[in-house]
Amino acid sequence: MVMTEKQENILHAALELFAEQGYAATSTSKVAKAAKVSEGLIFRHFKNKEGLLAAIFEMVAEKTKAVLADIVMTTDAKQVIEKILELPFSIDPNDYRMWRLMYAMKWQTQSYSTEKMEPVKMAAKNAFVKLGYKNPDAESELLLMLLDGAATAILLHEPEDKEAVLIALKGKYKH
Amino acid sequence: MVMTEKQENILHAALELFAEQGYAATSTSKVAKAAKVSEGLIFRHFKNKEGLLAAIFEMVAEKTKAVLADIVMTTDAKQVIEKILELPFSIDPNDYRMWRLMYAMKWQTQSYSTEKMEPVKMAAKNAFVKLGYKNPDAESELLLMLLDGAATAILLHEPEDKEAVLIALKGKYKH
Amino acid sequence: MVMTEKQENILHAALELFAEQGYAATSTSKVAKAAKVSEGLIFRHFKNKEGLLAAIFEMVAEKTKAVLADIVMTTDAKQVIEKILELPFSIDPNDYRMWRLMYAMKWQTQSYSTEKMEPVKMAAKNAFVKLGYKNPDAESELLLMLLDGAATAILLHEPEDKEAVLIALKGKYKH
Amino acid sequence: MVMTEKQENILHAALELFAEQGYAATSTSKVAKAAKVSEGLIFRHFKNKEGLLAAIFEMVAEKTKAVLADIVMTTDAKQVIEKILELPFSIDPNDYRMWRLMYAMKWQTQSYSTEKMEPVKMAAKNAFVKLGYKNPDAESELLLMLLDGAATAILLHEPEDKEAVLIALKGKYKH
DNA sequence: AATGAATGAGGCTTCATTCAT
DNA sequence: GATGAATGAAGCCTCATTCAT
């Protein structure tokens, strides 16, 4: 989607505020003020407060596509698992806000589902099959849990020694 | 805290609605209606919408104390880890809503911190020290991540074969 | 419907403003100001701007019931026609605003229909049958048209010699 | 007034929407969309939303002039009355929307007056004088009322047997 | 303790209108 | 002539909270 400068200002202001205060607790007027545009403009470009959120979701999907595709395309089983494990540890700190918003929104009932990760889960399962794990279904489920837990920890309190945690984590998959 | 019946009605209605629609998106009037009390009563008993949330948090703390204490009091290292791992898998489904609210609130900046888990983390670290793990700090951090990830998965989409996942999970701590 | 004083203030202010400026062109804030209440109160009592209008309609229906019933209950054919003809000429000037609003609303598509007059039309038809008119259907239709036309003229520009007009009008039904 | 095609599109869209939803309830943006032109163009051509309405009024005046002139120019008294009576029954159904708008606008205080009909009223009065009616003033007033009533009925609910009603109506003026 | 009428601030959205292109 | 981005005021409505009863 091509965007004017003001449209991008709105989107970024919204992302920032939604991530920090929550979607419901952020008023469109606050977004407008932060983006330095008139409140009306938000609605001309995004139709709705919800449309604004949807635009953010789309932006995230766009940004994520490449890295998820890379995982799904990887053929070496060990590498697949390693890449998934590394995922949360390699989030660009500039994108923390964005991900905090995504994770926060997961808890809103009417929110967009996590089915985006389905292909990754499949890739993980295949990898576990190849590696001869006993229960590939449970293992892939577990791996995604791990990914979620790690991302949560990183986004919420940025653990002191991320490197060490990643090493410990990888250790669990060295038999 | 001793509560009248209406107080409890309010508290339960609030918990239910906050968990389902989010704290900010739930109006006190909706809570009043759901609890079948007048709008004013909420403020007489809990002073604030925030006070209502605080009361819920207190209730949760009360409910959690026992089980966390049990972990901290456990002396056998292997058992400590096992008990922590089992934690999310043994949540009473009646309490799902409650925990969903807790997890959702974590992402709100002005929200109450997760320092409640600090003692558990310490217990885990001690256990890893006893068991001779190379990096007990990273390991305990990782264990709490796991706990978070598992809880998230269970609360959000209730995985099909929880038993198998728990077994796979415990497998990671059998060397 | 029992009403508090403020409720009545709102209703009257709304009637006045809707009649003078039109329903769509009257803002709820103007109504609140005219009624000297907070804007929110309108919505507590009437739910909607539309609910406010509906309440006015109900009030009008209440006020009109008696006089319409009187016509329908009249057995003498000539009297029925005379009473219908007199209807617009005997509107209480205090009710002009009310009726102006009713007539204005007739032109709004989504508005309440004129089926309230159906019983009156039936009564007229019966009267014309009794009196041996050739086409009672057309005659009753015409009578209601007359009623409408007269009411419109009276409400919109208050003709100089109403008495004379009424006499001329009655003259049309003396054969 | 000479008009470009787009100007005409705007005018017709406005007429349609104003007639169906009311002037105040129709936004200029809806008009623009219906006319398939940009929002700005309305203001370039008609200056105002009000200017748009004024242009419609002018168009109507233009359309009406001929038929009203015909009545005023008629010398035979009986024919004058007959032509006036026939007026509402001979409205081109294609013009119903237009007339609905005109009649709806009559009830708005700040709206254009009905003095357009003054010459017709005069013609009627003269006719009644010629025919020796007792009170020509009241009779002409009454005749215009009738015209209004008939037009209202036709525009609002299109009576089933218009022909019969017209005959009944004419009957009132055959002594 | 309990109600629900009342408030005023603020929420989301639409509006008429302007202006750079 | 024509577009559509941009504005700020206003519109309808909901909110948290207070208060008289």
Side-chain angles (χ1 to χ4, degrees), chain C residues 16-168:
Chain C
E16 177 158 5
L17 292 173
F18 288 173
E20 259 156 45
Q21 333 189 357
Y23 170 73
T26 303
S27 70
T28 50
S29 104
K30 271 189 256 172
V31 173
K33 227 161 276 168
K36 285 179 190 160
V37 298
S38 70
E39 204 177 343
L41 195 57
I42 294 178
F43 297 92
R44 163 172 268 279
H45 283 314
F46 300 98
K47 184 166 199 304
N48 261 3
K49 194 188 175 188
E50 222 189 312
L52 188 49
L53 186 61
I56 293 176
F57 272 77
E58 225 171 286
M59 197 181 78
V60 174
E62 208 72 28
K63 268 200 173 189
T64 317
K65 218 190 303 183
V67 55
L68 290 196
D70 175 52
I71 290 173
V72 175
M73 289 328 209
T74 302
T75 47
D76 180 66
K78 288 215 164 190
Q79 262 192 42
V80 168
I81 291 162
E82 203 169 6
K83 280 185 174 173
I84 292 178
L85 289 176
E86 279 165 358
L87 224 37
F89 294 87
S90 57
I91 301 175
D92 179 351
N94 291 321
D95 289 343
Y96 275 17
R97 278 201 306 241
M98 183 178 98
W99 286 109
R100 263 197 288 258
L101 175 57
M102 291 299 113
Y103 272 84
M105 289 309 296
K106 284 212 296 193
W107 298 94
Q108 241 55 39
T109 346
Q110 303 112 319
S111 185
Y112 310 68
S113 75
T114 43
E115 59 197 23
K116 287 266 167 47
M117 296 305 282
E118 208 50 39
V120 176
K121 196 172 174 184
M122 282 302 123
K125 187 179 160 187
N126 283 335
F128 285 121
V129 170
K130 276 191 200 164
L131 294 171
Y133 275 66
K134 269 185 215 140
N135 193 339
D137 272 308
E139 288 287 348
S140 62
E141 179 77 37
L142 177 58
L143 191 64
L144 282 244
M145 280 182 184
L146 263 163
L147 191 159
D148 243 35
T152 301
I154 287 166
L155 293 170
L156 276 185
H157 66 271
E158 182 74 18
E160 280 169 39
D161 193 352
K162 274 180 3 183
E163 276 305 312
V165 175
L166 179 53
I167 289 165

Side-chain angles (χ1 to χ4, degrees), chain A:
Chain A
M1 213 216 295
V2 192
M3 289 218 186
T4 78
E5 203 196 319
K6 302 218 172 188
Q7 254 180 100
E8 293 224 312
N9 289 349
I10 293 171
L11 216 51
H12 283 120
L15 173 53
E16 177 157 6
L17 292 172
F18 288 173
E20 259 156 44
Q21 332 189 358
Y23 169 73
T26 303
S27 69
T28 51
S29 103
K30 272 190 255 172
V31 173
K33 227 161 275 170
K36 285 178 190 162
V37 298
S38 69
E39 206 178 340
L41 195 57
I42 294 178
F43 296 90
R44 163 172 268 281
H45 285 314
F46 300 98
K47 182 165 200 300
N48 262 1
K49 195 188 174 187
E50 221 190 312
L52 187 49
L53 185 61
I56 293 176
F57 272 77
E58 226 171 285
M59 196 181 81
V60 174
E62 208 72 28
K63 267 199 173 188
T64 318
K65 219 191 302 184
V67 54
L68 291 197
D70 173 52
I71 289 172
V72 175
M73 290 329 210
T74 301
T75 48
D76 180 65
K78 289 216 163 191
Q79 262 191 42
V80 168
I81 291 163
E82 203 170 6
K83 281 185 174 174
I84 292 177
L85 289 177
E86 279 165 359
L87 225 37
F89 295 85
S90 57
I91 301 175
D92 179 350
N94 291 321
D95 289 343
Y96 275 17
R97 278 200 306 239
M98 183 178 98
W99 286 110
R100 262 195 287 256
L101 175 57
M102 291 299 112
Y103 272 84
M105 289 308 298
K106 283 211 298 191
W107 296 94
Q108 240 57 38
T109 346
Q110 302 114 320
S111 186
Y112 311 68
S113 75
T114 42
E115 58 197 24
K116 287 266 167 48
M117 296 304 282
E118 208 51 38
V120 175
K121 196 172 174 184
M122 282 301 123
K125 187 179 160 186
N126 283 336
F128 285 121
V129 170
K130 275 191 203 164
L131 293 171
Y133 275 66
K134 270 185 214 141
N135 192 339
D137 272 307
E139 289 286 348
S140 61
E141 180 76 38
L142 176 60
L143 190 64
L144 283 244
M145 281 182 184
L146 262 164
L147 191 158
D148 243 36
T152 300
I154 287 166
L155 292 170
L156 276 185
H157 65 270
E158 182 74 20
E160 280 169 41
D161 193 352
K162 273 180 5 183
E163 274 306 312
V165 175
L166 178 54
I167 288 165
L169 182 50
K170 285 184 178 171
K172 306 297 175 220
Y173 288 92
K174 295 240 165 81
H175 274 280

Side-chain angles (χ1 to χ4, degrees), chain D residues 19 44 155 161:
Chain D
R44 159 166 276 280
L155 292 171
D161 193 351

Side-chain angles (χ1 to χ4, degrees), chain A residues 139 142 172, chain B residues 85 165-175:
Chain A
E139 289 286 348
L142 176 60
K172 306 297 175 220
Chain B
L85 290 177
V165 175
L166 179 54
I167 289 165
L169 181 51
K170 285 184 177 173
K172 305 300 174 216
Y173 288 92
K174 295 239 167 83
H175 277 280

Side-chain angles (χ1 to χ4, degrees), chain B residues 23-147:
Chain B
Y23 169 73
T26 302
S27 69
T28 49
S29 103
K30 269 188 255 169
V31 173
K33 218 163 285 169
K36 286 177 190 164
V37 298
S38 68
E39 288 198 56
L41 198 58
I42 294 178
F43 294 88
R44 160 167 276 279
H45 282 316
F46 300 97
K47 178 162 198 283
N48 255 350
K49 194 185 174 188
E50 227 191 308
L52 191 48
L53 186 60
I56 293 176
F57 272 79
E58 224 170 290
M59 196 181 81
V60 175
E62 208 74 27
K63 268 202 174 189
T64 318
K65 220 190 297 184
V67 54
L68 291 197
D70 174 51
I71 290 173
V72 176
M73 290 332 219
T74 302
T75 47
D76 180 66
K78 288 215 164 190
Q79 262 191 41
V80 169
I81 291 162
E82 202 169 6
K83 281 185 173 174
I84 292 177
L85 290 177
E86 280 166 356
L87 225 36
F89 295 86
S90 56
I91 302 176
D92 179 351
N94 291 321
D95 289 342
Y96 275 17
R97 278 204 302 244
M98 182 179 98
W99 285 109
R100 248 180 249 139
L101 174 58
M102 293 297 114
Y103 271 84
M105 290 309 296
K106 283 210 300 192
W107 298 93
Q108 245 55 43
T109 15
Q110 63 288 56
S111 185
Y112 309 68
S113 77
T114 43
E115 57 197 24
K116 288 266 170 43
M117 297 304 282
E118 210 48 40
V120 176
K121 195 171 175 186
M122 280 304 124
K125 187 178 160 188
N126 283 335
F128 286 122
V129 169
K130 276 191 200 164
L131 293 171
Y133 275 67
K134 270 185 215 143
N135 193 339
D137 272 308
E139 288 286 348
S140 61
E141 179 77 38
L142 177 59
L143 190 64
L144 282 244
M145 280 182 185
L146 264 164
L147 191 159

